[in-house]
Amino acid sequence: MSNDFYTLNVNGEDHQVADSWAGESLLWVLRERLGFPGAKNACEEGECGSCSVRIGEEVVCSCLVLAGSATEQEITTIEGLSAEGELSDVQQAFIDAGAVQCGFCTPGLLVTIDDLLEKNENPDDLTVREAISGNLCRCTGYGRILEAVQIAAASRRGEKRE
Amino acid sequence: MPAALILMPVTVARSLDHALAALEECPEAIILAGGTDVMVQVNRGSMPVDQVVAIGRIPELQGWSREGDWLHLGAGVTYSEMMGEEISSMVPALAQASRTVGSPQIRNAGTIGGNLGTSSPAGDTLPTLFALEAVLTIRSSTGVRKLPINQFIVGVKQNALQPGELIEKISVPVLEGPQEFCKIGPRNAMVISVASFTLLTDVKESQVRSCLGTVGPVPIRPTEAENLLSNGVNWEKNKVSSEVLEAFASLCADAAQPIDDHRGSAAYRRHAIKILSRRAACRIFSEDNS
């Protein structure tokens, strides 16, 4: 234990983390200390991707980030993808495609797909499958998730919905 | 730097000197690079966390440089970066190996220095680094030393890094000629290697270099197989006979020292090496019995 505090920048705002244990993961700190429960905790070993967040320009598993080492970086969680009460284009596409079943993998997938579309507005099927290969979904069989990615990609390219 | 920074449980190192000073103060501190191995242990409660020196943002450990026929990779270069156009054009097998690591999330975080520091028999970059006879630059607050990789990795998750030392960079020769890395696992993504194999060519020297992964305590160079293939290839025509291919694959399998564990049996692993070695050779050379 330490009485020192450190500061994490989450979704554009600084948050102080005090009285923490050195080994706390970013996932745990986000969920249990800072009130960001969107990133989900399942495997805690980087296998499932349900805890995906963006740090700077890269998506990583927040369970594998030591929270105290993530200072002075821009951390974006699912809560930061859209203004409160609004849906992002990817979230809306998930609803439109029916890509949510139990919902546990959804936040991680949304963060990953948002990042993919930031970097590539016109990803082909293989690129999408590769991009989401670290996000496990045990309900949908991925078909509707892949469909949702293409809906969101089309809307980002400014194409009208059919 | 202020002493208080070092006494905090987590030191986020700003520079190589900062990290080395922190390690001098606390030589037993956990060195945290990408976290993809260390944090799994920490989350399980199997690695006590007292002091951590986080080296992920040290500028001197980032990026790469080319010096003649040598490529110097900073220890902090990630798998994603190794898959990039520049590094993959110089050491294609290293890029192929990086591509097989975990998922995009893991490849964005995990580093070549971390792969070496963990020294797992299943480390995906290790066979290619062994085949390239990579040289590690290891630094401490008192000096610097260079160590060939086969003297660095000495056993299962055991290496020659001393308390207070950091891997600074990894130097590999840039060879002329095609390279192939193959890996076996239960699926395409998120797989820890069951058996892996790397085959590099050095067309200037008319030689192949090869290494087996995950089928021994440390990566294994199948020297007899290498010699046989180097001498058996028609380098002018890039051709090799089925007979030589078969003999090469058998010698590679013979060189393996696999064990039975939860990921696969020794017999399966030896068989996999035979398949992978032939496959890699067939991707590089055309099989021709004329």
Side-chain angles (χ1 to χ4, degrees), chain A residues 18-160:
Chain A
D19 295 320
S20 61
W21 169 63
E24 288 174 1
S25 72
L26 177 59
L27 173 63
W28 199 86
V29 169
L30 286 171
R31 291 178 56 85
E32 308 296 335
R33 293 191 181 278
L34 301 182
F36 294 100
K40 296 291 178 267
N41 182 5
C43 73
E44 288 201 302
E45 53 183 33
E47 291 278 333
C48 74
S50 57
C51 67
S52 297
V53 302
R54 195 166 67 218
I55 298 185
E57 298 297 311
E58 307 285 359
V59 173
V60 297
C61 293
S62 60
C63 73
L64 298 184
V65 176
L66 187 74
S69 75
T71 53
E72 295 171 44
Q73 290 184 297
E74 290 180 9
I75 301 161
T76 308
T77 70
I78 179 69
E79 288 91 346
L81 286 195
S82 60
E84 194 164 343
E86 290 173 23
L87 294 174
S88 76
D89 51 356
V90 189
Q91 286 171 318
Q92 186 62 52
F94 262 59
I95 293 170
D96 295 346
V100 180
Q101 284 191 36
C102 90
F104 199 88
C105 70
T106 309
L109 274 162
L110 292 169
V111 169
T112 302
I113 293 165
D114 180 75
D115 180 71
L116 166 69
L117 298 179
E118 285 275 309
K119 292 165 182 163
N120 181 355
E121 278 192 355
N122 198 10
D124 60 23
D125 187 56
L126 265 181
T127 306
V128 176
R129 286 173 187 270
E130 179 64 37
I132 65 170
S133 61
N135 293 81
L136 298 188
C137 172
R138 299 294 83 171
C139 303
T140 64
Y142 299 100
R144 293 182 179 197
I145 293 170
L146 296 170
E147 204 179 304
V149 178
Q150 294 306 339
I151 292 173
S155 92
R156 260 187 217 204
R157 294 192 300 265
E159 290 168 18
K160 286 258 160 47

Side-chain angles (χ1 to χ4, degrees), chain A residues 4 22-23 25 44-47 52 58-61 63-66 68-73 112 130-131 133-135, chain B residues 8-10 12 14 32 34-36 39-40 42-44 49 52 54 57 99 103-109 187 189-190:
Chain A
D4 298 303
S25 72
E44 288 201 302
E45 53 183 33
E47 291 278 333
S52 297
E58 307 285 359
V59 173
V60 297
C61 293
C63 73
L64 298 184
V65 176
L66 187 74
S69 75
T71 53
E72 295 171 44
Q73 290 184 297
T112 302
E130 179 64 37
S133 61
N135 293 81
Chain B
M8 294 233 328
V10 180
V12 181
R14 314 279 166 188
L32 181 76
T36 55
M39 285 305 290
V40 173
V42 170
N43 290 341
R44 280 184 192 154
V49 183
V52 177
R57 274 182 278 157
R99 162 68 184 73
S103 63
Q105 286 91 326
I106 303 297
R107 300 196 288 267
N108 286 340
R187 57 187 280 249
M190 299 302 310

Side-chain angles (χ1 to χ4, degrees), chain B:
Chain B
M1 69 231 46
L5 254 185
I6 292 174
L7 294 172
M8 294 233 328
V10 180
T11 301
V12 181
R14 314 279 166 188
S15 66
L16 197 52
D17 283 345
H18 185 191
L20 294 173
L23 285 173
E24 188 181 19
E25 187 122 336
C26 186
E28 303 301 329
I30 296 171
I31 300 171
L32 181 76
T36 55
D37 288 324
V38 166
M39 285 305 290
V40 173
Q41 305 288 321
V42 170
N43 290 341
R44 280 184 192 154
S46 55
M47 186 184 277
V49 183
D50 184 19
Q51 294 279 325
V52 177
V53 178
I55 60 168
R57 274 182 278 157
I58 296 178
E60 296 99 309
L61 300 187
Q62 312 304 318
W64 56 271
S65 64
R66 173 93 183 248
E67 197 181 329
D69 284 340
W70 284 83
L71 170 66
H72 307 292
L73 294 160
V77 169
T78 64
Y79 299 111
S80 294
E81 287 166 337
M82 285 189 275
M83 290 161 62
E85 222 167 282
E86 288 165 317
I87 295 177
S88 63
S89 70
M90 291 183 273
V91 270
L94 206 52
Q96 282 179 304
S98 300
R99 162 68 184 73
T100 73
V101 173
S103 63
Q105 286 91 326
I106 303 297
R107 300 196 288 267
N108 286 340
T111 66
I112 187 171
N115 211 216
L116 285 160
T118 297
S119 299
S120 162
D124 288 314
T125 66
L126 305 183
T128 303
L129 294 177
F130 265 73
L132 288 166
E133 293 166 13
V135 176
L136 278 64
T137 303
I138 294 169
R139 198 176 280 278
S140 71
S141 55
T142 54
V144 62
R145 62 183 178 127
K146 289 183 191 282
L147 208 56
I149 189 166
N150 62 354
Q151 290 172 35
F152 176 78
I153 294 179
V154 293
V156 176
K157 298 192 177 178
Q158 289 182 326
N159 60 50
L161 202 66
Q162 297 297 310
E165 287 186 328
L166 264 185
I167 304 170
E168 180 182 353
K169 64 182 175 188
I170 298 96
S171 304
V172 295
V174 178
L175 301 178
E176 197 181 305
Q179 308 183 350
E180 280 291 336
F181 174 83
C182 308
K183 167 174 160 182
I184 289 275
R187 57 187 280 249
N188 277 336
M190 299 302 310
V191 152
I192 295 176
S193 166
V194 175
S196 65
F197 183 83
T198 197
L199 181 62
L200 319 175
T201 53
D202 183 344
V203 296
K204 278 188 188 162
E205 302 291 329
S206 300
Q207 276 180 352
V208 300
R209 300 174 180 214
S210 178
C211 189
L212 325 178
T214 335
V215 290
V218 300
I220 299 166
R221 292 283 298 273
T223 44
E224 266 187 74
E226 289 176 306
N227 290 338
L228 175 111
L229 188 58
S230 294
N231 295 326
V233 165
N234 178 336
W235 287 94
E236 268 177 26
K237 296 184 172 166
N238 202 48
K239 285 178 179 175
V240 67
S241 71
S242 305
E243 196 186 342
V244 169
L245 282 172
E246 286 301 321
F248 171 68
S250 293
L251 285 174
C252 286
D254 289 348
Q257 304 163 22
I259 57 165
D260 291 315
D261 71 8
H262 60 292
R263 291 200 189 93
S265 68
Y268 176 76
R269 287 187 154 113
R270 194 182 294 282
H271 176 70
I273 288 295
K274 190 166 183 183
I275 304 291
L276 292 181
S277 52
R278 198 184 199 286
R279 181 177 299 164
C282 284
R283 284 181 183 167
I284 289 179
F285 306 107
S286 43
E287 188 172 350
D288 186 273
N289 295 312
S290 59

